[in-house]
Amino acid sequence: MRKILLTAILSASVCMAQAQQEIRLYEGEAPGSEGIQDNERVNRGPDGNIQTISGVVTPSITVFLPEAGKATGTAVILCSGGGLMSHSWGSDVLNMAAWLNERGIAAIGLKYRTRVMGPSAGGGSPRMGGAPGFGGGMALSAEVYEFDKLTKSNANPDTSDSGQKNIDNAVADGLRAMEIVREHASEWHIDVKKIGFLGFSAGGGVALGAVVRADSNHMPAFIATIYGPSLIDVAVPENAPKLFIACRGNHHNVAAGLMSLYLDWKRAGKNAEMHLYDDGTGPFGPDDTGNTCGTWRESFYRWLQFNRMD
């Protein structure tokens, strides 16, 4: 029987959600990570809330449910960014979960496996395996108008074997998370036809990988990726979900990957909406109200409403 871990209630704040439950994705060791020592590290802010998590070998989901009277039946599996090396848990999960819960939407924080730790060549401290993570190595170099440089919309700059294993493990965790949310849908007052993914940066790549590799039992109803292009080759599934994209148009490599992805979805005759902002060159926060990209959450919510997924 899968072990269910009840988590301590996080300290309340205006912008942070309260976790009700944490569930490990696998009983025992995660497939593909056998024998890897768990070296998880959690960094907390002055308020005690988690900011980042790294060294994840034992993946899990953390459940944030809205008040019963507000629940709409929609659930979003949140995939945080961090270059596949860590999780930006505070901004991408806690902050976003609170915003979703206020609107009656269940939020499921996915703590997928991050870059595998290995021994150093000299037998000293552990080191990160493989090439630099997402957004690090520059094997790819493309502006948004150079999207045709990408092969099958794959914008992963890490082409090493270990880099491929990193994304494969994370994608497998995304698929497993969908299984568990479906299993608990009735208990959590979730409509199985209204479960989707929302990923940030590398987390968007994890969510997209889960969609590309999903069978009918794992396919979400929708996917939103926020400055997170695909990190694997894309073949648009016949039953592909509705797609929402938000990114800065000058975000090097990322915008090109997402432009290519949008066109793939449209060529396949699928529902896709893309927002390109011209107010900067990189990622943007969920509360970045000083720029035009600060409107992305409201655009995403309106998109959910329009597609009757709210």
Side-chain angles (χ1 to χ4, degrees):
M1 181 175 180
R2 187 171 53 249
K3 182 177 180 182
I4 298 180
L5 306 173
L6 294 179
T7 62
I9 299 299
L10 298 176
S11 56
S13 70
V14 174
C15 63
M16 296 295 180
Q18 292 184 341
Q20 285 105 20
Q21 198 175 46
E22 183 178 359
I23 302 176
R24 289 177 57 165
L25 297 189
Y26 309 98
E27 183 178 356
E29 295 179 305
S33 295
E34 294 85 356
I36 304 298
Q37 183 178 358
D38 195 332
N39 192 29
E40 186 169 312
R41 297 174 300 283
V42 176
N43 177 43
R44 295 180 182 272
D47 58 2
N49 284 311
I50 297 174
Q51 291 185 327
T52 62
I53 305 172
S54 59
V56 178
V57 176
T58 304
S60 64
I61 57 170
T62 302
V63 183
F64 305 88
L65 300 178
E67 296 176 10
K70 287 185 176 180
T72 64
T74 299
V76 175
I77 299 173
L78 295 170
C79 302
S80 57
L84 297 179
M85 298 180 72
S86 64
H87 290 277
S88 299
W89 197 261
S91 61
D92 296 351
V93 174
L94 298 183
N95 191 309
M96 195 66 203
W99 188 88
L100 291 167
N101 284 176
E102 288 175 2
R103 289 153 182 79
I105 299 172
I108 313 296
L110 171 59
K111 189 172 68 174
Y112 54 83
R113 280 170 282 177
T114 55
R115 189 172 291 276
V116 175
M117 297 291 289
S120 66
S125 301
R127 63 175 173 77
M128 291 294 183
F134 175 72
M138 286 292 109
L140 170 69
S141 181
E143 301 295 342
V144 64
Y145 50 82
E146 298 175 307
F147 60 86
D148 55 352
K149 286 185 177 181
L150 279 73
T151 300
K152 297 182 179 179
S153 296
N154 189 341
N156 194 344
D158 186 351
T159 58
S160 66
D161 290 342
S162 63
Q164 186 60 56
K165 182 175 182 180
N166 290 333
I167 186 61
D168 287 346
N169 283 344
V171 167
D173 295 342
L175 292 170
R176 180 66 183 135
M178 179 60 72
E179 283 183 7
I180 295 175
V181 175
R182 286 177 177 271
E183 290 172 4
H184 289 268
S186 178
E187 173 190 347
W188 296 339
H189 306 290
I190 291 170
D191 184 342
V192 293
K193 296 180 180 179
K194 296 170 68 175
I195 304 171
F197 282 106
L198 170 58
F200 296 86
S201 192
V206 172
L208 287 163
V211 167
V212 170
R213 294 179 178 172
D215 58 23
S216 59
N217 293 322
H218 296 82
M219 188 64 72
F222 60 87
I223 177 172
T225 179
I226 312 304
Y227 51 86
S230 181
L231 303 179
I232 67 170
D233 289 353
V234 172
V236 181
E238 290 186 7
N239 58 340
K242 296 175 174 63
L243 170 66
F244 179 92
I245 298 169
C247 180
R248 282 174 164 153
N250 295 320
H251 194 160
H252 193 69
N253 289 342
V254 172
L258 287 171
M259 177 63 76
S260 180
L261 181 76
Y262 172 79
L263 293 174
D264 279 348
W265 239 251
K266 298 304 287 186
R267 289 189 192 102
K270 306 303 179 183
N271 182 305
E273 180 166 319
M274 186 172 189
H275 297 253
L276 282 177
Y277 302 100
D278 198 31
D279 62 2
T281 59
F284 43 85
D287 299 311
D288 199 350
T289 56
N291 298 296
T292 56
C293 61
T295 62
W296 80 263
R297 288 199 300 192
E298 292 304 327
S299 295
F300 167 64
Y301 184 55
R302 182 170 293 189
W303 177 80
L304 286 178
Q305 291 177 311
F306 180 77
N307 288 289
R308 299 184 179 181
M309 291 292 169
D310 62 326

